[in-house]
Amino acid sequence: MLRRSYSVALLLVFSTCLLGQVQSPEQFLGYKLGSRYTPHFNVVNYCKYVAAAVPDMVKLEQYGTTNEGRPLLLAFVASRENASRLEAIRLNNLRLAGATPDRMAPDEHGPAIVWLSYNVHGNETSSSEAAMLTLFELVNPSNNKTKEWLKNTVVIIDPCMNPDGRDRYVNWFNSVVGREVNPLVFSREHAEPWPGGRPNHYYFDLNRDWAWQTQVESRQRVARYNQWLPQVHVDYHEQGYNEPYYFAPAAEPYHEVITPWQREFQNQIGRNNAHYFDENGWLFFTKERFDLFYPSYGDTYPIYKGAIGMTYEQGGHSRGGAAVINEDGDTLTLWDRLYHHFTTGMSTIEISSQNATKLVQEFKKYYDKARSLPVGEFKSYIIKADESDRIDRMKKLLDKNMIDWAYTNNMAYNGYNYFTGKHETFKTTPADIVININQPNANLIKVLFERSSKLSDSVTYDITAWSMPYCFGLVTYGLGGYVTATTKNAPPPAPVPAINGTTVAYAVRWNGLGSARFLAALLRKKVKVRYAEQPFNIKGEQFDKGTLIVTRTSNSSLGTSLEATVREAANASGETVYPLGSGFVDKGFDLGSDKVRMLHAPKITLLAGPGVSSLGMGEFWHFFDVEIGYPVNVVWLDDLNRNVLKGTDVLIMPDGNYRFLNDKAMNDALKEWVSSGGRLVALENAVAQLSRADWGLKSKAGDDKKDDKKDDKKEDYSSIKRYENRERDYIPSVTPGAIYKVELDNSHPLAFGYDSIYYTLKQDDNIYEFIKDGGWNVGIIKKDNQVAGFVGARLKDKLKDGVLFGVQDMGRGNVVYLADNPLFRSFWENGKLLICNAVFMVGQ
């Protein structure tokens, strides 16, 4: 039966090819688009069908696979002439950008490339439906307009950027909808369960991951994107179901590197879209809400790569279902939503075709200027290597974004030190790297490395600071000139110490993710590991606090396999293992001292479910599962009870709203568990809730109330406000995301592997009084510790003289308070060791 169905399908494709016709999505799927949701596999099947039906116009490529094994596709659509030379078009486009090693002159009259990306948020589902309709109309033999457009335009369609999230939503919706859709928003089909379909498998927001590429979908997509570099890119989204359609031009702030042409053509596209919306009587808005600043969106990243990058937003995500009655009393259907997206897609292709030559020529100008007259206060950046693996992680990020870098030689330079805020003379080593900005990606480099971004409008959609030196915690210098003494050759690796039969122990420095991976691998193999609480020196090698030590004595049961296990873990993690021939050290405490402590493999429970931030929980899940390879038990918040706590050593409470803390019995049970030896790791709002639940930590918000009472005695007109300013009145009291300098007590295990300074991303007003009795103020901010990003004037005065990272001893256990998120979107690289310390080092 299966073989017969497959033969019928092949016959259908063959017959449609002979007739020169292509089935519409409705004909192929057997239902009208918009009448139901299409599972991802059928989106894929339709794309495959069209590619097989018109192979001389459509080329289908699988560029990757999701975490759950679903294919990621690109459909390349062009005229028959251009489809036959797609590779030549691609290479010519890269030559326009100066991104090929050859010196061939590019053709400035080649076709413009328009890239349409759909469904990056899984529960913004109408766009994948629109992608199929767009694909059909581009190859529809009866559509004479698209035939003309494709003469000078190549269209690349990514029909679904987040298949795992889409199917999570679609499968749920199809399981709860009846024969007739219910448009009442309070009905079941409009309330998707936690975590929702928006994120990917690990609950990451892929639309904020373009530059960082922490997720497998992003890495695979951006790698292919950088091999094409389109002139126009559209990122399709959905917003609340009461909102009319949004399209370009974007809202302020625009980043200062965005060119006049990129601004101008957004307006041209917007006016063309408006023409069709006005013609149909559809409402829309522009120049509001969605700005062009944060570099890792699906509109800004393409902009910093020379494209006209745009976000299009249709009302209806998540709660839109297949039909919903909005606040105006109108019924918004799935067909309405997808057809609006289809309309802006066709309009964008049309206006791009009409301006194809101009688009290509301006694209070339963008990259010519980047190489010859790059913008920014510095011409080069030198990044100092240290003993950790952070420089290697930095190099990987640069490579993923096609940013050219080189190694330095032994030289002396003068430059601006990001950490001290001063111009200094310094020396380089062969392990340091340099980035000269006279290269194709000059604008992206400026954006990623600028000390403080210029905001044309303080009302912004996302964080306002992300400078890579602070994110990675690497000393960086900005130089006023280019660095010519460079080499592409890596310095020779340090000789690996020989391991022999006289070795009594193995030591690995604790200073980065590699050492955490090494530890995780050993603990999973039941190897007993110790750590040094104090620095020590042996035979000229200096080892700092936190150094991992594996002794033969403690692991005698493993016999000769211990050496092989250690070697295997070292090779997998990239760590250097130092064999120690004696437990007698030259300086510090001997290996048998009680200052060298046994590190017990913790059983970790990670809370999930309604009330817990899915993004915050996903960052932990991904970190342990993918980045360091250590098991965690993910437990539903509603299932947390004494039995779960009994099998838990470390309980992680990500950002969230924990109602059980208001329940005295459960609150007391949690305190009892901690006092009996448990370790509670709380982040962000979980810390704020603990501070209100009488756990000992006190918020500094109380100080603000005292100040307010003092002000009450004065005549105060501040409460008199203008209605038209209501969206801006909150700005002085917030920070959307700014960088602060944190002073660390690196003698405490929570800060092992760090220097005395850490840079945190502050996204709220939470700061706490210094912990007094029975606790440790490990990370504090003092006056004037803001480094970069926007902070409201009223809030700025409050964010000082308090603790952000602390440890409170409670009986035989501990509570670790992390008021800020060290794992933010998994790109805040310097925070990851802090999490490892909280889980593995504290309380041992």
Side-chain angles (χ1 to χ4, degrees):
M1 183 68 183
L2 182 63
R3 199 175 291 175
R4 182 169 177 240
S5 300
Y6 184 68
S7 301
V8 170
L10 283 177
L11 182 62
L12 184 60
V13 170
F14 182 69
S15 62
T16 54
C17 291
L18 286 178
L19 294 171
Q21 297 175 342
V22 182
Q23 286 188 345
S24 67
E26 180 178 348
Q27 291 170 320
F28 180 84
L29 297 170
Y31 55 85
K32 181 183 178 181
L33 282 181
S35 63
R36 67 178 72 170
Y37 281 115
T38 306
H40 179 257
F41 76 89
N42 264 341
V43 176
V44 171
N45 285 341
Y46 184 69
C47 292
K48 288 181 177 179
Y49 158 74
V50 173
V54 279
D56 52 351
M57 290 185 68
V58 179
K59 309 295 181 186
L60 195 65
E61 171 189 297
Q62 180 173 339
Y63 68 84
T65 305
T66 69
N67 287 292
E68 297 176 17
R70 294 180 177 88
L72 294 163
L73 302 179
L74 290 176
F76 298 84
V77 189
S79 66
R80 287 173 171 81
E81 178 187 356
N82 286 333
S84 66
R85 58 187 193 95
L86 278 179
E87 181 62 11
I89 292 172
R90 183 185 74 83
L91 290 174
N92 182 71
N93 206 56
L94 294 182
R95 291 188 189 104
L96 291 166
T100 58
D102 64 55
R103 299 281 180 161
M104 291 179 61
D107 177 8
E108 295 185 36
H109 300 281
I113 299 169
V114 177
W115 187 306
L116 306 177
S117 294
Y118 298 91
N119 220 157
V120 67
H121 291 148
N123 60 3
E124 298 174 9
T125 37
S126 68
S127 65
S128 284
E129 312 286 342
M132 291 187 284
L133 185 58
T134 302
L135 177 61
F136 167 69
E137 285 299 336
L138 288 174
V139 298
N140 184 355
S142 62
N143 193 324
N144 293 322
K145 287 184 177 181
T146 58
K147 290 177 184 176
E148 286 299 312
W149 301 343
L150 290 177
K151 288 180 179 179
N152 61 358
T153 309
V154 172
V155 180
I156 303 174
I157 292 176
D158 187 333
C160 187
M161 303 160 72
N162 182 8
D164 294 348
R166 176 183 173 82
D167 269 3
R168 186 186 308 127
Y169 176 82
V170 169
N171 290 337
W172 165 79
F173 182 85
N174 287 342
S175 74
V176 298
V177 69
R179 291 184 179 181
E180 299 290 333
V181 299
N182 188 333
L184 296 174
V185 72
F186 55 76
S187 62
R188 179 178 62 163
E189 63 205 65
H190 297 280
E192 63 174 324
W194 193 95
R198 179 185 177 91
N200 75 341
H201 174 80
Y202 283 105
Y203 306 165
F204 272 70
D205 186 335
L206 295 179
N207 188 43
R208 287 156 174 81
D209 195 43
W210 278 74
W212 322 129
Q213 297 162 53
T214 68
Q215 300 301 291
V216 65
E217 296 93 342
S218 304
R219 288 194 294 275
Q220 295 170 118
R221 172 181 11 92
V222 176
R224 198 61 177 132
Y225 183 95
N226 283 325
Q227 292 169 353
W228 275 90
L229 296 178
Q231 280 76 44
V232 176
H233 180 265
V234 182
D235 190 22
Y236 282 90
H237 287 267
E238 289 190 87
Q239 53 189 328
Y241 64 89
N242 287 315
E243 302 291 338
Y245 200 97
Y246 163 82
F247 48 72
E252 292 287 351
Y254 280 55
H255 196 282
E256 61 180 322
V257 303
I258 298 174
T259 67
W261 165 249
Q262 288 174 316
R263 290 171 176 261
E264 177 191 335
F265 199 66
Q266 284 216 359
N267 274 284
Q268 290 188 42
I269 291 175
R271 290 185 184 281
N272 205 56
N273 289 342
H275 164 73
Y276 289 104
F277 272 59
D278 288 338
E279 192 173 71
N280 286 282
W282 300 333
L283 291 176
F284 61 89
F285 68 98
T286 66
K287 303 182 287 293
E288 294 181 74
R289 195 174 303 157
F290 304 103
D291 58 66
L292 294 174
F293 199 66
Y294 172 71
S296 203
Y297 279 126
D299 52 8
T300 50
Y301 185 84
I303 276 186
Y304 302 142
K305 288 281 185 172
I308 311 298
M310 296 166 293
T311 290
Y312 291 171
E313 295 263 359
Q314 163 64 46
H317 80 85
S318 179
R319 299 188 71 83
V324 64
I325 299 173
N326 63 24
E327 63 186 6
D328 295 332
D330 296 327
T331 300
L332 177 69
T333 67
L334 177 57
W335 170 258
D336 296 331
R337 291 153 54 194
L338 76 88
Y339 201 75
H340 295 163
H341 271 334
F342 164 75
T343 301
T344 56
M346 300 301 278
S347 168
T348 301
I349 297 168
E350 177 187 47
I351 192 72
S352 298
S353 173
Q354 293 169 357
N355 294 270
T357 300
K358 179 74 169 173
L359 277 166
V360 171
Q361 290 173 347
E362 290 291 340
F363 179 80
K364 183 177 184 299
K365 286 180 186 178
Y366 179 95
Y367 279 102
D368 287 348
K369 184 178 179 182
R371 297 194 305 276
S372 60
L373 292 170
V375 298
E377 63 177 321
F378 302 126
K379 297 299 182 187
S380 60
Y381 302 89
I382 290 179
I383 304 159
K384 300 287 292 176
D386 57 19
E387 288 188 340
S388 76
D389 58 4
R390 288 174 295 180
I391 193 76
D392 293 325
R393 285 182 270 157
M394 170 74 86
K395 289 184 286 191
K396 288 178 181 177
L397 180 70
L398 298 175
D399 288 341
K400 287 187 289 191
N401 287 294
M402 309 298 289
I403 292 173
D404 189 42
W405 58 271
Y407 293 100
T408 60
N409 295 318
N410 291 311
M411 298 284 287
Y413 296 94
N414 186 274
Y416 178 89
N417 186 328
Y418 273 63
F419 288 7
T420 66
K422 299 176 182 177
H423 280 84
E424 301 171 355
T425 298
F426 65 98
K427 292 183 178 180
T428 56
T429 70
D432 301 336
I433 66 170
V434 59
I435 305 170
N436 286 311
I437 68 167
N438 55 338
Q439 58 172 292
N441 284 302
N443 286 334
L444 181 62
I445 295 167
K446 173 186 163 42
V447 173
L448 295 181
F449 279 83
E450 61 193 355
R451 290 183 293 142
S452 188
S453 304
K454 294 180 182 177
L455 277 167
S456 60
D457 191 328
S458 51
V459 179
T460 181
Y461 199 67
D462 213 292
I463 62 173
T464 57
W466 49 78
S467 185
M468 292 296 95
Y470 304 123
C471 168
F472 280 83
L474 288 168
V475 175
T476 300
Y477 293 88
L479 281 65
Y482 299 121
V483 176
T484 57
T486 65
T487 177
K488 289 292 185 181
N489 299 320
V496 178
I499 297 176
N500 54 52
T502 63
T503 299
V504 301
Y506 308 94
V508 168
R509 292 187 171 94
W510 180 258
N511 53 22
L513 278 193
S515 45
R517 293 188 188 105
F518 175 81
L519 172 62
L522 292 186
L523 293 180
R524 295 192 72 167
K525 292 289 184 70
K526 310 298 183 185
V527 176
K528 294 178 181 177
V529 183
R530 300 170 184 266
Y531 74 91
E533 191 178 274
Q534 296 294 328
F536 66 94
N537 186 292
I538 185 167
K539 291 190 182 276
E541 286 288 347
Q542 181 67 29
F543 296 94
D544 209 344
K545 299 177 290 291
T547 294
L548 304 176
I549 299 170
V550 181
T551 63
R552 286 190 180 276
T553 302
S554 300
N555 293 283
S556 57
S557 62
L558 297 175
T560 57
S561 68
L562 176 63
E563 181 179 322
T565 302
V566 170
R567 284 184 185 276
E568 181 183 352
N571 292 336
S573 64
E575 289 299 293
T576 299
V577 176
Y578 294 85
L580 306 180
S582 172
F584 187 94
V585 304
D586 300 324
K587 188 176 181 180
F589 295 92
D590 295 329
L591 302 192
S593 167
D594 65 358
K595 299 296 189 296
V596 179
R597 298 177 177 272
M598 185 66 74
L599 196 158
H600 300 281
K603 291 175 286 186
I604 304 171
T605 293
L606 173 61
L607 294 179
V612 179
S613 163
S614 60
L615 297 175
M617 177 268 167
E619 287 161 355
F620 272 93
W621 182 24
H622 179 265
F623 180 69
F624 283 101
D625 197 38
V626 175
E627 294 204 61
I628 67 171
Y630 191 81
V632 294
N633 300 313
V634 179
V635 174
W636 292 117
L637 180 57
D638 288 345
D639 292 337
L640 181 65
N641 54 38
R642 291 179 183 272
N643 287 332
V644 172
L645 292 174
K646 193 178 297 184
T648 299
D649 298 315
V650 177
L651 178 67
I652 298 174
M653 295 174 63
D655 185 30
N657 181 22
Y658 293 90
R659 293 183 180 178
F660 75 81
L661 290 175
N662 298 322
D663 178 78
K664 187 177 185 305
M666 191 60 209
N667 203 23
D668 290 345
L670 193 58
K671 286 183 178 179
E672 180 184 329
W673 170 78
V674 173
S675 297
S676 300
R679 196 178 327 146
L680 179 63
V681 180
L683 285 92
E684 300 182 274
N685 194 51
V687 177
Q689 286 187 266
L690 290 173
S691 75
R692 296 191 295 268
D694 194 28
W695 278 69
L697 188 70
K698 301 295 183 184
S699 171
K700 289 200 71 179
D703 295 342
D704 304 332
K705 292 175 183 176
K706 294 176 187 175
D707 294 338
D708 291 341
K709 288 180 180 179
K710 293 178 184 177
D711 293 340
D712 287 343
K713 298 177 182 178
K714 303 174 184 178
E715 198 69 48
D716 186 8
Y717 298 104
S718 63
S719 61
I720 302 173
K721 300 174 183 178
R722 290 185 62 81
Y723 181 76
E724 65 182 347
N725 295 332
R726 63 193 183 280
E727 291 185 357
R728 294 182 174 273
D729 283 338
Y730 75 97
I731 292 174
S733 301
V734 302
T735 173
I739 297 173
Y740 272 76
K741 181 170 72 173
V742 178
E743 299 182 28
L744 290 179
D745 171 10
N746 61 6
S747 70
H748 192 282
L750 182 60
F752 279 177
Y754 286 94
D755 291 328
S756 59
I757 298 297
Y758 170 83
Y759 293 92
T760 188
L761 185 68
K762 199 88 191 77
Q763 294 183 274
D764 55 34
D765 61 354
N766 287 329
I767 183 171
Y768 301 90
E769 295 180 4
F770 295 127
I771 304 171
K772 295 177 181 177
D773 299 327
W776 308 96
N777 300 290
V778 182
I780 65 172
I781 55 175
K782 296 181 179 178
K783 186 178 180 181
D784 298 327
N785 271 20
Q786 182 193 356
V787 174
F790 174 79
V791 180
R794 286 201 292 268
L795 179 58
K796 191 171 184 177
D797 290 337
K798 299 175 184 177
L799 290 177
K800 63 182 180 182
D801 299 328
V803 63
L804 294 180
F805 307 137
V807 177
Q808 183 177 337
D809 300 331
M810 186 179 290
R812 292 189 291 111
N814 315 90
V815 182
V816 180
Y817 299 113
L818 302 174
D820 294 338
N821 181 7
L823 288 181
F824 182 71
R825 294 179 186 167
S826 197
F827 84 84
W828 206 259
E829 292 290 339
N830 199 28
K832 293 177 178 178
L833 190 61
L834 204 61
I835 295 299
C836 295
N837 286 337
V839 169
F840 294 116
M841 293 290 180
V842 172
Q844 295 284 359

